[in-house]
Amino acid sequence: MGTTLMTGASRGLGRHAAEHLLRHHPDCHLLVFNRRAGLAAELAAATGNPNVSEVICDLASFGDIRRAAAEVDRPLDGFLGNAALQMATTRKLTADGVEMTFGVNVLAYHLLLNLLRPRFTNPARIIVVGSDVHDSAHNSMGLIPPPRWDDPRELAKPGEGTAKAGRRAYATSKLGVVYLVHALRRRLPDGVDVYSYNPGLVPDTELSRDAGRLGRAVFRAVGRALVALPVATTAVRAGRLLAETMAGPRPGDSGSYISRGEVIPSSPESYDERREEELWTAATALTGLSRTPHRSA
């Protein structure tokens, strides 16, 4: 029985993806990383599939990520990184003093995937959920400003206390996801594939939960209208497609950008090996991996 480790399985499209995997791929064991206990029992009860377990993990703490990764005691042939944050400002910090959006959406995955590398079997598939807002040419229905890349050490620092800054940080972090995937692809052996995945515009999620009561109400109202348009999709449909990309036939060459199940080019800006390596080096230092002894498989 293979094991897929998943983050962000408690709500929204991630919850639907997790339930779809358990219902339609019963021979796969799902290991969920979640901030609260009880998610595995909920998923087992909802799907009738007991092949699910959990490790408590707060992705906003490097120490907690290290502790949780050390608790993974089985080989992994899949990784689905869905958890992400969109903050109302860039003032909030992780437990390690890093700007929250960049810390969780980029640095946490860099740390977690590097710690788990000895656990991946061959073949294995790694997917980190990104977004089309990583592309400066993407309009985002006017909701998300385009990304603004900078030295990763600067992106890790707190910034402005405005909602626009918070939304821009989200777009920038998703550009960082594509950079990390490209850099990781160069470091993985043949047979261990890594992808960034764009689920499309999914308005009926709780991504805006940090926006305050009024902001959440506005986002929900806009979301109900957008779901009816071709540019958007529901969490149920997005979760099902994400699950099948995870568990179905090989979707494409390692390092590919997959948008709603189809391999397409990511933004022109996202193909920049200098930035990719700069991010890898900075993320390795910021997460303390440069001080972590090498662990063989």
Side-chain angles (χ1 to χ4, degrees), residues 10-66:
S10 64
R11 56 168 66 91
L13 72 94
R15 179 63 173 256
H16 293 294
E19 291 187 3
H20 185 90
L21 285 170
L22 289 168
R23 288 192 177 103
H24 298 277
H25 300 275
D27 291 336
C28 171
H29 184 92
L30 188 64
L31 171 60
V32 291
F33 271 29
N34 196 52
R35 290 181 64 183
R36 62 174 177 85
L39 178 58
E42 290 178 13
L43 290 169
T47 64
N49 185 349
N51 292 330
V52 54
S53 58
E54 67 188 8
V55 171
I56 306 305
C57 181
D58 182 357
L59 294 178
S61 166
F62 296 154
D64 212 47
I65 291 170
R66 289 177 178 277

Coordinates of all heavy atoms in Angstrom, one line a residue, residues 10-66:
S10 N -8.3 19.8 5.5 CA -9.4 20.0 6.5 C -10.6 20.8 5.9 O -11.7 20.6 6.4 CB -8.9 20.7 7.7 OG -8.5 22.1 7.4
R11 N -10.4 21.5 4.9 CA -11.5 22.4 4.4 C -11.3 22.7 2.9 O -10.2 22.4 2.3 CB -11.5 23.7 5.1 CG -10.2 24.5 5.1 CD -10.4 25.9 5.6 NE -10.8 26.0 7.0 CZ -9.9 26.1 8.0 NH1 -8.6 26.1 7.7 NH2 -10.2 26.1 9.2
G12 N -12.3 23.2 2.3 CA -12.3 23.6 0.9 C -11.9 22.6 -0.1 O -12.3 21.4 0.1
L13 N -11.2 22.9 -1.2 CA -10.9 22.0 -2.2 C -10.0 20.9 -1.7 O -10.1 19.7 -2.1 CB -10.3 22.7 -3.4 CG -8.8 23.2 -3.3 CD1 -7.8 22.2 -3.8 CD2 -8.7 24.5 -4.1
G14 N -9.2 21.2 -0.7 CA -8.3 20.1 -0.1 C -9.1 19.0 0.6 O -8.8 17.9 0.5
R15 N -10.2 19.4 1.3 CA -11.1 18.4 1.9 C -11.7 17.5 0.9 O -11.8 16.3 1.0 CB -12.1 19.1 2.8 CG -13.1 18.2 3.5 CD -12.4 17.3 4.5 NE -13.4 16.5 5.3 CZ -13.7 16.8 6.5 NH1 -13.1 17.8 7.2 NH2 -14.5 16.1 7.2
H16 N -12.2 18.1 -0.2 CA -12.8 17.4 -1.3 C -11.8 16.4 -1.9 O -12.1 15.3 -2.3 CB -13.5 18.3 -2.3 CG -14.7 19.0 -1.7 ND1 -15.8 18.4 -1.3 CD2 -14.9 20.3 -1.5 CE1 -16.7 19.2 -0.9 NE2 -16.1 20.4 -0.9
A17 N -10.6 17.0 -2.1 CA -9.5 16.1 -2.7 C -9.2 14.9 -1.8 O -9.0 13.8 -2.3 CB -8.3 17.0 -3.0
A18 N -9.1 15.2 -0.5 CA -8.8 14.1 0.4 C -9.9 13.0 0.4 O -9.6 11.8 0.4 CB -8.6 14.7 1.8
E19 N -11.1 13.5 0.5 CA -12.2 12.5 0.5 C -12.3 11.7 -0.9 O -12.6 10.5 -0.9 CB -13.5 13.2 0.7 CG -13.6 13.8 2.2 CD -15.0 14.3 2.5 OE1 -15.9 14.3 1.6 OE2 -15.2 14.8 3.6
H20 N -12.0 12.4 -2.0 CA -12.0 11.7 -3.3 C -10.9 10.7 -3.3 O -11.1 9.5 -3.8 CB -11.8 12.7 -4.4 CG -11.9 12.2 -5.8 ND1 -13.1 12.1 -6.5 CD2 -11.0 11.6 -6.6 CE1 -12.9 11.5 -7.6 NE2 -11.6 11.2 -7.7
L21 N -9.7 11.0 -2.8 CA -8.6 10.0 -2.8 C -9.0 8.8 -2.0 O -8.8 7.6 -2.4 CB -7.4 10.6 -2.2 CG -6.6 11.6 -3.1 CD1 -5.5 12.3 -2.3 CD2 -6.0 10.9 -4.3
L22 N -9.6 9.0 -0.8 CA -10.0 7.9 0.0 C -11.2 7.1 -0.6 O -11.2 5.8 -0.4 CB -10.4 8.4 1.4 CG -9.2 9.0 2.2 CD1 -9.7 9.7 3.5 CD2 -8.3 7.8 2.7
R23 N -12.1 7.7 -1.2 CA -13.2 7.0 -1.8 C -12.8 6.2 -3.1 O -13.3 5.1 -3.3 CB -14.3 7.9 -2.1 CG -15.1 8.5 -0.9 CD -16.4 9.2 -1.4 NE -17.1 9.6 -0.2 CZ -17.2 10.9 0.2 NH1 -16.5 11.8 -0.5 NH2 -17.8 11.3 1.3
H24 N -12.0 6.8 -3.9 CA -11.7 6.2 -5.2 C -10.4 5.6 -5.4 O -10.1 4.9 -6.4 CB -11.9 7.3 -6.3 CG -13.3 7.9 -6.4 ND1 -14.3 7.3 -7.1 CD2 -13.8 9.0 -5.8 CE1 -15.4 8.0 -6.9 NE2 -15.1 9.1 -6.1
H25 N -9.5 5.7 -4.4 CA -8.2 5.0 -4.4 C -8.0 4.4 -3.0 O -7.1 4.8 -2.2 CB -7.1 6.0 -4.7 CG -7.3 6.7 -6.1 ND1 -6.9 6.1 -7.2 CD2 -7.9 7.9 -6.4 CE1 -7.2 6.9 -8.2 NE2 -7.8 7.9 -7.8
P26 N -8.8 3.4 -2.7 CA -8.8 2.9 -1.3 C -7.6 2.2 -0.9 O -7.3 1.9 0.3 CB -10.0 1.9 -1.3 CG -10.2 1.5 -2.8 CD -9.8 2.8 -3.5
D27 N -6.7 1.8 -1.9 CA -5.5 1.1 -1.6 C -4.4 2.1 -1.2 O -3.3 1.7 -0.8 CB -5.0 0.3 -2.8 CG -5.9 -0.9 -3.0 OD1 -6.6 -1.3 -2.0 OD2 -6.0 -1.4 -4.1
C28 N -4.6 3.4 -1.4 CA -3.7 4.4 -1.0 C -3.9 4.8 0.5 O -5.0 5.1 0.9 CB -3.8 5.6 -1.9 SG -2.8 7.0 -1.4
H29 N -2.9 4.8 1.3 CA -3.0 5.3 2.6 C -2.7 6.8 2.6 O -1.8 7.3 2.0 CB -2.0 4.7 3.6 CG -2.1 5.1 5.0 ND1 -2.9 4.4 5.9 CD2 -1.6 6.2 5.7 CE1 -2.9 5.0 7.1 NE2 -2.1 6.1 7.0
L30 N -3.6 7.6 3.2 CA -3.5 9.1 3.3 C -3.0 9.5 4.6 O -3.7 9.2 5.7 CB -4.9 9.7 3.0 CG -4.8 11.2 2.8 CD1 -4.0 11.6 1.5 CD2 -6.3 11.8 2.6
L31 N -1.9 10.2 4.7 CA -1.3 10.7 5.9 C -1.5 12.2 5.9 O -0.9 12.9 5.0 CB 0.1 10.3 6.1 CG 0.9 11.0 7.2 CD1 0.3 10.6 8.6 CD2 2.4 10.6 7.1
V32 N -2.3 12.8 6.8 CA -2.6 14.2 6.8 C -1.8 14.9 7.8 O -1.8 14.5 9.0 CB -4.1 14.5 6.9 CG1 -4.9 14.0 5.6 CG2 -4.7 13.8 8.1
F33 N -1.2 16.0 7.4 CA -0.6 17.0 8.4 C -1.6 18.1 8.6 O -2.1 18.7 7.7 CB 0.7 17.6 7.8 CG 1.9 16.8 8.1 CD1 1.9 15.4 8.2 CD2 3.1 17.5 8.1 CE1 3.1 14.7 8.5 CE2 4.3 16.8 8.4 CZ 4.3 15.4 8.5
N34 N -2.0 18.3 9.9 CA -3.0 19.2 10.2 C -2.7 19.9 11.6 O -2.1 19.3 12.4 CB -4.4 18.5 10.3 CG -5.6 19.5 10.2 OD1 -5.6 20.4 9.3 ND2 -6.5 19.4 11.1
R35 N -3.3 21.1 11.8 CA -3.0 21.8 13.1 C -3.8 21.2 14.2 O -3.4 21.4 15.4 CB -3.3 23.3 12.9 CG -2.3 24.0 12.0 CD -2.7 25.5 11.9 NE -2.5 26.1 13.2 CZ -2.9 27.4 13.4 NH1 -3.3 28.1 12.4 NH2 -2.7 27.9 14.6
R36 N -4.9 20.5 13.9 CA -5.7 20.0 15.0 C -5.9 18.5 14.9 O -5.8 18.0 13.8 CB -7.1 20.7 15.0 CG -7.9 20.4 13.7 CD -9.3 21.0 13.8 NE -10.0 20.8 12.6 CZ -10.7 19.6 12.3 NH1 -10.7 18.6 13.1 NH2 -11.3 19.5 11.1
A37 N -6.1 17.9 16.0 CA -6.3 16.5 16.1 C -7.8 16.1 15.6 O -8.7 17.0 15.8 CB -6.1 15.9 17.5
G38 N -8.0 15.0 15.1 CA -9.3 14.5 14.8 C -9.7 14.5 13.3 O -10.7 13.9 12.9
L39 N -8.8 15.1 12.5 CA -9.1 15.1 11.0 C -9.2 13.7 10.4 O -10.0 13.4 9.6 CB -8.1 16.0 10.3 CG -8.3 16.1 8.8 CD1 -9.7 16.7 8.4 CD2 -7.2 17.0 8.2
A40 N -8.2 12.9 10.8 CA -8.2 11.5 10.2 C -9.5 10.8 10.5 O -10.0 10.1 9.6 CB -7.0 10.8 10.7
A41 N -10.0 10.9 11.7 CA -11.2 10.2 12.1 C -12.4 10.8 11.3 O -13.3 10.0 10.9 CB -11.4 10.4 13.6
E42 N -12.4 12.1 11.1 CA -13.5 12.7 10.3 C -13.4 12.2 8.9 O -14.5 11.9 8.3 CB -13.3 14.2 10.3 CG -13.6 14.9 11.6 CD -13.3 16.4 11.5 OE1 -13.2 16.9 10.4 OE2 -13.3 17.1 12.5
L43 N -12.3 12.1 8.3 CA -12.2 11.6 6.9 C -12.5 10.2 6.8 O -13.2 9.8 5.8 CB -10.7 11.9 6.4 CG -10.3 13.3 6.2 CD1 -8.8 13.4 5.9 CD2 -11.1 13.9 5.0
A44 N -12.1 9.4 7.7 CA -12.5 8.0 7.7 C -14.0 7.8 7.8 O -14.6 6.9 7.1 CB -11.8 7.2 8.8
A45 N -14.6 8.6 8.7 CA -16.1 8.4 8.9 C -16.8 8.9 7.7 O -17.8 8.3 7.3 CB -16.5 9.3 10.1
A46 N -16.3 10.0 7.0 CA -17.0 10.5 5.9 C -16.9 9.6 4.7 O -17.8 9.6 3.8 CB -16.5 11.9 5.5
T47 N -15.8 8.9 4.5 CA -15.6 8.1 3.3 C -15.7 6.6 3.5 O -15.8 5.8 2.6 CB -14.2 8.3 2.8 OG1 -13.2 7.9 3.8 CG2 -13.9 9.8 2.5
G48 N -15.8 6.2 4.8 CA -15.8 4.7 5.1 C -14.5 4.0 4.8 O -14.4 2.8 4.9
N49 N -13.4 4.8 4.6 CA -12.1 4.2 4.4 C -11.2 4.5 5.6 O -10.9 5.6 5.9 CB -11.5 4.8 3.1 CG -10.2 4.2 2.8 OD1 -9.6 3.4 3.5 ND2 -9.7 4.5 1.6
P50 N -10.8 3.4 6.3 CA -10.0 3.6 7.5 C -8.5 3.9 7.2 O -7.7 4.1 8.1 CB -10.1 2.3 8.3 CG -10.3 1.3 7.2 CD -11.1 2.0 6.1
N51 N -8.1 3.9 5.9 CA -6.7 4.0 5.5 C -6.3 5.5 5.6 O -5.8 6.1 4.6 CB -6.4 3.4 4.2 CG -6.6 1.9 4.1 OD1 -6.3 1.3 5.1 ND2 -7.0 1.4 3.0
V52 N -6.4 6.1 6.7 CA -6.0 7.5 6.9 C -5.5 7.7 8.3 O -6.0 7.2 9.2 CB -7.2 8.5 6.6 CG1 -8.4 8.1 7.4 CG2 -6.8 9.9 6.8
S53 N -4.4 8.4 8.4 CA -3.8 8.7 9.7 C -3.4 10.2 9.7 O -3.4 10.9 8.7 CB -2.6 7.8 10.0 OG -1.6 7.9 9.0
E54 N -2.9 10.7 10.9 CA -2.6 12.1 10.9 C -1.4 12.3 11.8 O -1.0 11.5 12.7 CB -3.8 12.9 11.5 CG -4.1 12.6 13.0 CD -5.4 13.2 13.4 OE1 -6.1 13.8 12.6 OE2 -5.7 13.2 14.6
V55 N -0.7 13.4 11.5 CA 0.4 14.0 12.3 C 0.0 15.5 12.6 O -0.3 16.2 11.6 CB 1.7 13.8 11.7 CG1 2.8 14.6 12.5 CG2 2.1 12.4 11.6
I56 N 0.0 15.9 13.8 CA -0.3 17.3 14.1 C 0.9 18.1 13.7 O 2.1 17.8 14.0 CB -0.6 17.5 15.6 CG1 -1.7 16.5 16.0 CG2 -1.0 18.9 15.9 CD1 -2.9 16.6 15.2
C57 N 0.7 19.2 12.9 CA 1.8 20.0 12.4 C 1.3 21.5 12.2 O 0.2 21.6 11.5 CB 2.4 19.5 11.2 SG 3.7 20.4 10.5
D58 N 2.0 22.4 12.7 CA 1.7 23.8 12.4 C 2.8 24.3 11.4 O 4.0 24.4 11.7 CB 1.8 24.6 13.7 CG 1.5 26.1 13.5 OD1 1.3 26.5 12.3 OD2 1.5 26.9 14.5
L59 N 2.4 24.6 10.2 CA 3.3 25.0 9.1 C 3.9 26.4 9.4 O 4.8 26.8 8.6 CB 2.6 24.9 7.7 CG 2.2 23.5 7.3 CD1 1.5 23.6 5.9 CD2 3.4 22.6 7.2
A60 N 3.4 27.1 10.3 CA 3.9 28.4 10.7 C 5.0 28.3 11.7 O 5.4 29.3 12.4 CB 2.8 29.3 11.2
S61 N 5.6 27.1 11.9 CA 6.7 26.9 12.9 C 7.7 25.9 12.3 O 7.3 24.7 12.1 CB 6.1 26.4 14.2 OG 7.1 25.9 15.1
F62 N 8.9 26.4 12.1 CA 9.9 25.4 11.6 C 10.2 24.3 12.6 O 10.4 23.2 12.2 CB 11.2 26.2 11.3 CG 11.1 27.2 10.2 CD1 12.0 28.3 10.2 CD2 10.2 27.1 9.2 CE1 11.9 29.3 9.3 CE2 10.1 28.1 8.2 CZ 11.0 29.2 8.2
G63 N 10.1 24.6 13.9 CA 10.3 23.6 14.9 C 9.3 22.5 14.8 O 9.6 21.3 14.9
D64 N 8.0 22.9 14.6 CA 6.9 22.0 14.5 C 7.0 21.1 13.3 O 6.7 19.9 13.3 CB 5.6 22.7 14.6 CG 4.5 21.9 15.3 OD1 4.8 21.3 16.4 OD2 3.4 21.8 14.8
I65 N 7.4 21.8 12.2 CA 7.6 21.0 10.9 C 8.7 19.9 11.1 O 8.5 18.8 10.7 CB 8.0 22.0 9.8 CG1 6.8 22.9 9.4 CG2 8.5 21.2 8.5 CD1 7.2 24.0 8.5
R66 N 9.8 20.3 11.8 CA 10.9 19.3 12.0 C 10.4 18.2 12.9 O 10.7 17.0 12.6 CB 12.1 20.0 12.7 CG 12.8 20.9 11.7 CD 14.0 21.6 12.5 NE 14.7 22.5 11.6 CZ 15.7 22.0 10.8 NH1 16.0 20.8 10.8 NH2 16.3 22.9 10.0

